[in-house]
Amino acid sequence: MATLPLTHPAAAAADVWGQPRGLWVLAGTELWDRISFHGMQALLVLYMVGALLLPGHVEHVAGFAGFRRLVEGVTGPLSVQALAAQTFGLYVGLIYFTPVIGGWIGDRLTGRRFAVSLGALLMTAGHFALAFDVTFLLALLLLILGAGLLRGNLSAQVKSLYADGDRREADAFQLYYVAINLGAFIAPIITGALAALYGWHTGFGFAGFGMLIGLIVYLIGQRHLPPDTARAAVVEHAPLTGSDWSRIGGLAIVFPVQICFWIAQSQVWNVYNLWVRDHLNLRVGGFTLPVPWLQALDGVAPILVMPAFLALWRWQAKRGAEPDDIAKLAIGCAIFALGTAWLAAAPYVSGADGRAPLLWAVAFHLISNIGWLYFTPISLALYATKSPPSLRGTLVGINYLSTFFASIISGRLGGFYETMDPARFWLMHAAIVGGGGLVLALLARPLRKLFAA
């Protein structure tokens, strides 16, 4: 059967590997965004606990005394470790909150291209500001604002490359996430090595250059993207139909389950680094792995398992047995819960020093990322394909909003790590994400009706 034409006809003659050239521009920009973001993220908690929040450093951070009073006014007094976990949770949460506003700005005011470009510039400045203790909070603010503009408008452009019903669209989101995970794999290795050899600020500086390269890729490749007509479209949007509202209602039901998933995933970015530092044997021969390198497994694992599961889904589709999007989301939650419970079982294989073998963490990343593969690309595709065109950027931003709430919650839960043993801490997170999957499975039938309206 012939594929449907692209919504951007000029791209048809420029297909690369069966996909519009614009997809590779967007994926390449996202790749460098993730190299910068995940490189910094892999260092942030370790940096705060090991250096920034200690006496002799924290006094030099502009505005930090007021920031701490504000946070502790809500949480009560926090230790250095708990404050680091809460600060990280707030930062990551806001990184995923601002795309809601950024998507609206791109949809209604500036156009998506300008929003992405400005966002990349702000993020570049933010990464470079992390190279100095005094500008730590300013750096986080620039990164938060920049991510809102970039992420609220970059992935939303993927859908514009395809006509409704184009079979390649589903594969496009999987390929887009390959770029995300490739960046997440490369970044912790480089920044972890740079931080270990040359200091924290060198690692943060590399992240700034990564974002700058991403901006250059996007600017050079803009000719392969669909026309940017957001301002003119403001007065031409048709009113939302009953079918539109039905699908929006379905997304609203999925949203709390996304929060449950991202609470567990956010903790892998946050307290997991401290668990690795204290409870994992990092010796390989005579070499000790830098703690951030474990984060690289979270980037490479989806790339390794993706071909097998794409082939599985196509094999199932030929037999009419492929799980639909709702079923895949529920399966993803269940598998991720199994992975988190795997961490809770680590004491049973630990040596006399209380450290689990390195392969135990490798297995965790493989298990949890199979769950991630069933959940994350599917949820993004659900928002991009079920959203009304006039609200697509805004609703893709709301997709990221689930991670905002989850990161705030996981930051608070991270403070319990000092008072709970690791097994109970990880079992608590397994119950959260597993419970979300169970709720989704129970609501699958009404959700399918809403999305089919």
Side-chain angles (χ1 to χ4, degrees):
M1 181 182 295
T3 57
L4 295 174
L6 298 172
T7 46
H8 184 34
D15 283 3
V16 176
W17 295 330
Q19 295 287 348
R21 192 176 294 270
L23 174 67
W24 306 110
V25 173
L26 296 174
T29 307
E30 187 71 66
L31 168 68
W32 284 102
D33 166 41
R34 296 301 171 142
I35 287 175
S36 69
F37 173 71
H38 287 281
M40 184 273 288
Q41 178 179 270
L43 302 179
L44 193 55
V45 170
L46 296 169
Y47 168 58
M48 287 190 285
V49 171
L52 184 73
L53 300 187
L54 300 180
H57 287 271
V58 70
E59 300 89 350
H60 303 303
V61 180
F64 197 84
F67 170 77
R68 183 167 194 166
R69 285 195 298 272
L70 182 64
V71 171
E72 292 185 338
V74 176
T75 65
L78 296 173
S79 66
V80 166
Q81 185 170 302
L83 180 60
Q86 186 66 76
T87 301
F88 182 89
L90 288 168
Y91 160 70
V92 174
L94 290 170
I95 282 283
Y96 287 94
F97 171 77
T98 51
V100 179
I101 302 171
W104 182 87
I105 290 173
D107 277 344
R108 303 291 186 177
L109 299 178
T110 65
R112 290 172 183 163
R113 292 186 184 185
F114 180 83
V116 169
S117 301
L118 178 59
L121 279 173
L122 290 172
M123 292 180 73
T124 300
H127 285 302
F128 287 136
L130 275 173
F132 308 95
D133 286 353
V134 66
T135 51
F136 176 75
L137 290 179
L138 173 63
L140 297 189
L141 177 62
L142 291 171
L143 289 166
I144 289 165
L145 296 176
L149 290 168
L150 187 144
R151 295 189 180 177
N153 292 282
L154 190 62
S155 60
Q157 294 178 71
V158 174
K159 169 60 183 172
S160 301
L161 296 168
Y162 302 89
D164 292 340
D166 192 329
R167 175 63 180 85
R168 298 175 303 165
E169 185 180 309
D171 288 349
F173 281 98
Q174 297 291 350
L175 292 168
Y176 191 81
Y177 266 90
V178 168
I180 289 175
N181 284 281
L182 185 60
F185 167 65
I186 294 170
I189 294 176
I190 297 177
T191 57
L194 289 174
L197 293 172
Y198 303 109
W200 300 107
H201 298 308
T202 305
F204 292 135
F206 167 78
F209 283 107
M211 192 64 255
L212 187 59
I213 294 172
L215 173 60
I216 293 170
V217 168
Y218 186 74
L219 293 176
I220 291 174
Q222 283 198 16
R223 66 185 183 275
H224 300 298
L225 300 178
D228 198 350
T229 56
R231 291 187 182 184
V234 170
V235 298
E236 299 173 2
H237 290 317
L240 296 179
T241 66
S243 179
D244 290 334
W245 283 112
S246 177
R247 291 194 295 271
I248 291 172
L251 294 175
I253 294 173
V254 171
F255 187 77
V257 178
Q258 291 179 272
I259 294 176
C260 292
F261 178 88
W262 286 108
I263 286 172
Q265 176 63 77
S266 296
Q267 212 61 268
V268 178
W269 303 330
N270 192 340
V271 167
Y272 176 73
N273 281 330
L274 302 178
W275 181 85
V276 167
R277 183 194 65 184
D278 298 334
H279 296 284
L280 195 67
N281 185 354
L282 294 171
R283 297 286 296 177
V284 178
F287 177 69
T288 300
L289 269 68
V291 172
W293 283 18
L294 270 293
Q295 292 289 333
L297 293 177
D298 240 16
V300 73
I303 298 173
L304 296 176
V305 302
M306 183 177 292
F309 281 91
L310 288 178
L312 171 64
W313 294 341
R314 289 184 177 179
W315 179 82
Q316 291 174 324
K318 290 179 181 178
R319 288 156 179 78
E322 181 183 8
D324 65 5
D325 288 348
I326 304 304
K328 285 178 180 177
L329 294 176
I331 292 169
C333 287
I335 296 174
F336 203 98
L338 175 63
T340 312
W342 183 267
L343 289 179
Y348 295 103
V349 297
S350 297
D353 59 357
R355 294 182 176 271
L358 181 62
L359 286 177
W360 198 259
V362 173
F364 159 72
H365 285 283
L366 286 173
I367 296 169
S368 64
N369 277 286
I370 292 172
W372 180 96
L373 183 64
Y374 269 89
F375 192 91
T376 306
I378 303 303
S379 63
L380 175 58
L382 196 67
Y383 275 78
T385 58
K386 302 302 182 183
S387 300
S390 62
L391 291 175
R392 186 170 293 133
T394 304
L395 288 174
V396 167
I398 287 177
N399 169 61
Y400 290 117
L401 189 60
S402 63
T403 312
F404 161 72
F405 289 112
S407 296
I408 300 298
I409 295 168
S410 71
R412 187 69 181 117
L413 294 178
F416 297 156
Y417 185 69
E418 292 181 300
T419 57
M420 298 175 70
D421 65 78
R424 286 195 300 150
F425 181 82
W426 293 118
L427 281 176
M428 173 176 65
H429 288 80
I432 291 170
V433 65
L438 178 60
V439 169
L440 198 60
L442 294 174
L443 296 177
R445 182 173 295 180
L447 275 173
R448 291 183 182 113
K449 291 181 180 178
L450 289 172
F451 288 132

